[in-house]
Amino acid sequence: MIRLHNIIYRRLSLLSSSTSSSSSLLLCPTFLSLNLHSSIHPPGSALRTARKVLSKTHIMTLSRFHSLAPVRAVAAEDGGGSGGGSNGSAGASLIEDDESDSIGCNYRLPAPEIRDIVDAPPLPALSFSPQRDKILFLKRRALPPLEELARPEEKLAGIRIDGKCNTRSRMSFYTGIGIHQLMHDGTLGPEKEVHGFPDGAKINFVSWSHDGRHLSFSIRGDEEDNSSGKLRVWVADVETGVAQSLFKSPDVYLNAVFDNYVWVDNSTLLVCTIPLSRKDPPPKPLVPSGPKIQSNEQKNVIQVRTFQDLLKDEYDEDLFEYYATSQLVLASLDGKVKPIGPAAVYTSLDPSPDEKYILISSIHRPYSFIVPCGRFPKKVDVWTTEGKFVRELCDLPLAEDIPIAFNSVRKGMRSINWRADKPSTLYWVETQDGGDAKVEVSPRDIVYSQPAELQDDEQPEILHKVDLRYGGISWCDDSLALVYESWYKTRRTRTWVISPGLKDSSPRILFDRSSEDVYSDPGSPMLRRTPAGTYVIAKIKRENDPGIYLLLNGSGATPEGNIPFLDLFNINTGEKERIWESDKEKYYETVVALMSDQSDGDMHVDQLKILISKESKTENTQYFLQCWPDKKKFQITNFPHPYPQLASLQKEMIRYQRKDGVQLTATLYLPPGYDPSKDGPLPCLVWSYPGEFKSKDAAGQVRGSPNEFAGIGPTSALLWLARGFAILSGPTIPIIGEGDEEANDRYVEQLVASAEAAVEEVVRRGIAHPNKIAIGGHSYGAFMTANLLAHAPHLFCCGIARSGAYNRTLTPFGFQNEDRTLWEATNTYVEMSPFMSANKIKKPILLIHGEEDNNPGTLTMQSDRFFNALKGHGALCRLVVLPYESHGYASRESIMHVLWETDRWLQKYCVSASDVVPDVRNGKDEPNEVTDISDNKAVPASGGGSAEGLDREWEACQSLRRASLW
């Protein structure tokens, strides 16, 4: 009898899914509601008990994929540009073959219901004029073809360069510019198309002149001559829409490897150009001049993360310098051209607000083979706008030794900028701890200020000192500025009020809180645009009130979801008055910008005009103007629904609890028309991304809004709503390390507990079929997926892991939010690595990776080696490597094939999983161990558990079968 019950335990805990041959978003999931809070089940609760046992699922967050543009990674391990790929042929073939099971060399197309959503034309991007009287509609195209992404690129100093264009590789672009007049009633005038440039030109770097009368932009074409693809700067008259080339000479091209150009005044641009004297690229030597040697004979401590695309030898250094070197040119709209300064590797150009000076940054040798160009020696100078050198601010040495601890920074001057409220005053910050966050010192950072041109031996003025790490300044005037500081380890963030022009004024703390506590976030001050084109804090006046008021724009996080707000805040007393709040019943609205900031000085509250975005679960984002004092709204845009076939999808923000008491949330999406009472449980895809927290309370707070529109990107999990799946998007996976505890030391334990809670909830609701729950994720979400299949095989029928890292010993100097080294936390690195548990993965796993992944930590080798480890243990696995693609996938061929692979995997190993509970009484195999259903701990197969408990679980199993939930 014990043997029989042990077999039952094992089958229940593993949620065994027999597979069969395959048959033929960004949003959705669903559920039924059953109470599962008690771990002690009273008589008659066998059905609930079994559902609890069999309903452990995990869902993945899609917020980082809610863009119509190609996916780019965002979080620490999702860094890096969106890569695109091509097979190098003139046209990669796309085959509509949903049945093929072969690993062929052709790109496949997913089912039409998915393909139609991905191929939908993207909506335009918007840009308002400085005077807020005109709007640009920047038109975009759908996904690029693979052949574009197969263009040769140079991987140098941590960046990728398209040598043919002399710019960063794989740039997206606009296809056209439409200008609309914004009428007083909020309506748009007829579109005026910018014209005059060649048909088919690719448009980048669109910028308004300060007076709003001209637009500048770059264009590139696809001519077949030697200059093919190089960028030229054009300028258009906004009133007529007529565009013409800024440079009359056909030999002047833009160098856009780093900064590209800026408006110095309303009629002059400072442009980074390719030096006219530049010849062909340096040839690669057939025979190297000597061996590649790196030395640390000085015994310096140099710890760096796994940066990619670094310089490898002297030839790479020469090639980097060849492409990155610019000649600065002042170009006027009347045709005058004046080269200024020597040719150099200029990285940023920043004119002063009074248009008299330019802050020029450049990098120079010696370069490095172990860190990217952002840490190369850096020189910062002040020039006049006529090109005259004024003075050198700093010349920072090579920074190879920045510690890996969070909040560590470069030594010397950093964050050098112009004060937004002054004509030409500089400010910067200098560390007092040598840049090492592990050094205890007070103050830790000092903020300095100084005029552009010095008088005699004028010394920098100390503006403020902070004990945490400096995080920026919002300027207003001599009486008011806000200084921000924060510390990652404690999640503490503080906001100081200072009076930079009043010597006898003492700084005071305005806000002091945990950055994790979203419920206490007071919001950020709204900024207004000055006539000089800078942005300063908007001061607000009230009738017959001498107080100084700011507008605090906040996300309004609450236990019911985000309810954005706008508060009128008295900076001296701290009193608040809520003057605007989002509709919390049906819509999600946010304040985008001030639209009444054209004039200088303070603004009156009754003259406010703001731009608002408005959306709902099923209505895509539209923009409105709202004006005071009557708060009347005018709708500006009327964009069509991007995917009407999913317009009636169902969305719900759900809450549930982890077994350790941590409150969790997720967004559940269900297909249009789905009725759980009639249609029964669905196959479910869980898509998520873990996050680190310092407290259980913060981890349990609700983030996001149930009323947000479900944006669906090209690789979103929500696409599978169109295939009849429930989607559990972004179930919170908090990895908590309270006090001195490091979160990752209990990573696997907390990961599994969060996944169990999510699965339990969707099964309890009757939405997800307990035998048909798949797990997936991108980057750190892929890492999560592999770990869950290794350590919680009873929860999921299969997994999809995209662009992940699986062996943490290959990232020995930290990863994600882990800043201990492999040698400091060996056990953590090993236990967190699913590579080390490859022998435990028994459920089907699909691995996808870009062949040219440049994201730190997620080398393509990670998937190669993990696949070999899985294959070496007989695991059911598949590896898809996408030619030319980077960390995110960009080309249409690659994205369509990823969707085909994912759909095939889900249809074969999720949809076609067994619907029937195995009759374990006929089983012949005796398991070596089983899983205790109450706490997921292994117990010996030869005993354990009372006869009463075993009988109860057997009855639960039979109740489930009778209820036809299998």
Side-chain angles (χ1 to χ4, degrees), residues 27-31 59 650-652 667-671 684-685 718 721 725-729 762 767:
L27 338 147
C28 31
T30 37
F31 321 84
I59 286 190
Q650 303 173 54
K651 176 184 177 182
E652 179 184 0
T667 304
L668 180 62
Y669 295 93
L670 297 171
C684 179
L685 174 58
L718 297 182
L721 287 171
F725 274 72
I727 309 296
L728 190 59
S729 172
V762 292
I767 298 302

Side-chain angles (χ1 to χ4, degrees), residues 446-612:
I446 298 179
V447 183
Y448 296 92
S449 178
Q450 198 173 51
E453 290 200 57
L454 301 181
Q455 303 297 324
D456 300 323
D457 294 328
E458 186 176 358
Q459 296 300 307
E461 175 189 357
I462 295 178
L463 282 182
H464 191 59
K465 300 177 181 180
V466 297
D467 286 335
L468 308 181
R469 187 62 79 200
Y470 167 80
I473 299 180
S474 293
W475 298 98
C476 184
D477 52 32
D478 275 338
S479 66
L480 175 63
L482 301 181
V483 183
Y484 309 99
E485 61 173 333
S486 62
W487 198 247
Y488 176 77
K489 280 292 186 182
T490 60
R491 308 300 199 272
R492 189 178 184 186
T493 180
R494 292 195 294 205
T495 303
W496 291 84
V497 177
I498 66 171
S499 299
L502 305 178
K503 303 297 183 183
D504 56 349
S505 176
S506 298
R508 62 183 175 89
I509 292 179
L510 185 64
F511 304 120
D512 188 348
R513 47 182 290 273
S514 169
S515 59
E516 290 185 335
D517 182 10
V518 294
Y519 292 170
S520 69
D521 187 352
S524 302
M526 296 207 71
L527 306 179
R528 66 172 180 83
R529 191 179 190 276
T530 69
T534 62
Y535 286 85
V536 298
I537 297 173
K539 278 187 177 180
I540 308 299
K541 292 181 179 178
R542 303 185 69 174
E543 195 71 34
N544 301 320
D545 188 339
I548 300 174
Y549 291 89
L550 311 183
L551 291 172
L552 293 184
N553 183 14
S555 60
T558 74
E560 289 71 44
N562 287 0
I563 306 173
F565 62 83
L566 194 62
D567 281 349
L568 198 60
F569 177 73
N570 189 313
I571 192 70
N572 294 320
T573 67
E575 296 176 351
K576 299 180 183 179
E577 178 188 345
R578 188 142 299 180
I579 62 172
W580 177 89
E581 187 174 73
S582 171
D583 179 341
K584 55 190 173 185
E585 298 302 323
K586 178 181 178 182
Y587 292 100
Y588 176 72
E589 300 170 295
T590 60
V591 175
V592 179
L594 277 176
M595 299 293 284
S596 51
D597 60 349
Q598 300 94 324
S599 58
D600 209 350
D602 299 344
M603 292 184 289
H604 197 280
V605 67
D606 288 338
Q607 296 174 340
L608 285 180
K609 183 188 296 184
I610 59 176
L611 179 67
I612 294 174

Side-chain angles (χ1 to χ4, degrees), residues 318-477:
D318 293 342
L319 200 61
F320 169 73
E321 205 159 69
Y322 173 85
Y323 286 115
T325 297
S326 296
Q327 173 63 58
L328 297 183
V329 174
L330 281 170
S332 301
L333 299 185
D334 60 6
K336 296 178 182 178
V337 174
K338 177 185 176 182
I340 61 172
V345 182
Y346 296 107
T347 57
S348 69
L349 316 171
D350 188 10
S352 62
D354 63 1
E355 303 174 352
K356 292 182 179 180
Y357 302 96
I358 307 172
L359 194 61
I360 305 283
S361 298
S362 60
I363 56 178
H364 59 81
R365 293 176 186 259
Y367 300 144
S368 171
F369 297 153
I370 64 172
V371 294
C373 57
R375 298 190 182 187
F376 287 179
K378 178 180 180 180
K379 188 169 178 284
V380 183
D381 297 331
V382 177
W383 297 3
T384 68
T385 51
E386 295 299 316
K388 178 184 175 182
F389 174 82
V390 176
R391 66 186 176 107
E392 178 185 291
L393 289 178
C394 64
D395 192 348
L396 305 176
L398 179 65
E400 291 183 331
D401 60 348
I402 299 176
I404 62 173
F406 287 105
N407 288 123
S408 293
V409 295
R410 190 172 192 158
K411 300 174 186 175
M413 297 172 69
R414 70 181 199 278
S415 301
I416 307 172
N417 291 291
W418 298 107
R419 275 186 58 167
D421 61 328
K422 290 289 184 180
S424 53
T425 300
L426 294 160
Y427 72 98
W428 67 89
V429 64
E430 293 186 33
T431 179
Q432 307 300 300
D433 57 13
D436 189 349
K438 292 183 178 180
V439 173
E440 296 295 334
V441 65
S442 178
R444 190 173 293 276
D445 278 335
I446 298 179
V447 183
Y448 296 92
S449 178
Q450 198 173 51
E453 290 200 57
L454 301 181
Q455 303 297 324
D456 300 323
D457 294 328
E458 186 176 358
Q459 296 300 307
E461 175 189 357
I462 295 178
L463 282 182
H464 191 59
K465 300 177 181 180
V466 297
D467 286 335
L468 308 181
R469 187 62 79 200
Y470 167 80
I473 299 180
S474 293
W475 298 98
C476 184
D477 52 32

Side-chain angles (χ1 to χ4, degrees), residues 655-670:
R655 301 171 182 80
Y656 49 98
Q657 184 171 298
R658 203 163 75 178
K659 63 183 179 182
D660 60 359
V662 176
Q663 296 296 315
L664 304 177
T665 59
T667 304
L668 180 62
Y669 295 93
L670 297 171

Side-chain angles (χ1 to χ4, degrees), residues 225-265:
D225 56 31
N226 292 333
S227 63
S228 170
K230 287 189 174 66
L231 281 66
R232 301 178 188 271
V233 181
W234 284 63
V235 176
D237 184 288
V238 172
E239 289 302 318
T240 65
V242 175
Q244 60 182 352
S245 179
L246 177 65
F247 296 102
K248 305 308 178 186
S249 170
D251 299 323
V252 180
Y253 297 102
L254 183 67
N255 187 338
V257 170
F258 288 108
D259 210 344
N260 41 74
Y261 63 82
V262 292
W263 285 92
V264 174
D265 55 40

Side-chain angles (χ1 to χ4, degrees), residues 831-848:
E831 291 169 5
M832 285 184 70
S833 298
F835 179 85
M836 304 301 180
S837 299
N839 60 319
K840 298 179 181 179
I841 295 181
K842 307 300 181 184
K843 296 296 178 67
I845 182 169
L846 172 63
L847 304 173
I848 301 173

